[in-house]
Amino acid sequence: DSGVTQTPKHLITATGQRVTLRCSPRSGDLSVYWYQQSLDQGLQFLIQYYNGEERAKGNILERFSAQQFPDLHSELNLSSLELGDSALYFCASSVAVADNTGELFFGEGSRLTVL
Amino acid sequence: EDKVVQSPLSLVVHEGDTVTLNCSYEVTNFRSLLWYKQEKKAPTFLFMLTSSGIEKKSGRLSSILDKKELFSILNITATQTGDSAVYLCAVPNYGQNFVFGPGTRLSVLP
């Protein structure tokens, strides 16, 4: 158990809908990362938050947004869903001090299926 | 653009074999390189390497970093079927996100 909690574990929805994925980082970790992993694809970085502020942005679509709340949990919002958005969405956390040498701890992921 | 390349992408061996997985990287302001094992779900941490030439070891797994040639290797000796997984290499970049390689899918046959 990494200490990173993601909900829901599984989600099935229809095209055009909107979903919210939730992540609670490990106790003490200030930084949260979101990654997308499609079938047989590598981990694609979406976005990073550090102590409530957006720190880095990757290949995140405009239909997707995220935020980190004062209690450090984070939510990833996916809207106007398309079939291609079906993937495993991972949240990871780290202590993430400025020099970024800390390891990432991953949650179990949220598997999104868009029908 | 920061990138991490892994080879081979796929590998099939028999139990007892020794395997070497490769990871090369190009990132600005290199600080560390991390190896993860991904079975069915979440990647789990194996090693973090920051210094060249110092081998990190955990049981049958070991890893070493060459900062001059910009690569790392992960060795697994006496492989077991439980070693079957995707092995991921990652490097944090200057933008403070972690860049992952595509992974090496290892299949260990009984």
Side-chain angles (χ1 to χ4, degrees), chain A residues 36 38 63 81-87 89 114:
Chain A
Q36 179 192 57
S38 302
R63 301 184 285 107
L81 285 168
E82 301 175 0
L83 295 178
D85 297 328
S86 296
Y89 291 85
V114 182

Side-chain angles (χ1 to χ4, degrees), chain B:
Chain B
E1 185 184 331
D2 299 325
K3 66 177 180 181
V4 176
V5 177
Q6 291 186 246
S7 65
L9 294 180
S10 181
L11 190 55
V12 180
V13 300
H14 286 91
E15 273 193 317
D17 289 349
T18 293
V19 297
T20 297
L21 311 182
N22 303 291
C23 173
S24 62
Y25 60 89
E26 289 180 32
V27 293
T28 49
N29 200 19
F30 175 85
R31 299 178 190 89
S32 61
L33 183 146
L34 294 84
W35 283 98
Y36 285 84
K37 177 182 181 182
Q38 185 177 22
E39 295 176 85
K40 290 194 176 11
K41 281 283 189 81
T44 53
F45 174 76
L46 293 175
F47 298 110
M48 181 167 72
L49 303 157
T50 56
S51 302
S52 273
I54 299 175
E55 185 182 55
K56 292 235 175 164
K57 207 168 165 62
S58 176
R60 297 175 294 101
L61 276 66
S62 64
S63 184
I64 197 160
L65 174 68
D66 185 329
K67 287 165 74 172
K68 184 179 175 188
E69 300 297 330
L70 309 183
F71 78 91
S72 172
I73 60 173
L74 174 68
N75 282 317
I76 308 175
T77 58
T79 51
Q80 302 172 356
T81 54
D83 296 326
S84 295
V86 175
Y87 290 84
L88 298 164
C89 171
V91 180
N93 69 5
Y94 187 74
Q96 298 193 26
N97 80 75
F98 288 76
V99 181
F100 279 82
T104 294
R105 182 175 297 277
L106 174 65
S107 299
V108 181
L109 305 178

Side-chain angles (χ1 to χ4, degrees), chain A residues 1-32:
Chain A
D1 183 4
S2 68
V4 179
T5 304
Q6 286 188 250
T7 58
K9 287 186 170 47
H10 300 276
L11 193 54
I12 301 174
T13 188
T15 54
Q17 296 297 304
R18 173 190 168 95
V19 299
T20 297
L21 310 180
R22 195 178 190 279
C23 170
S24 294
R26 285 190 329 150
S27 177
D29 284 357
L30 299 179
S31 197
V32 169

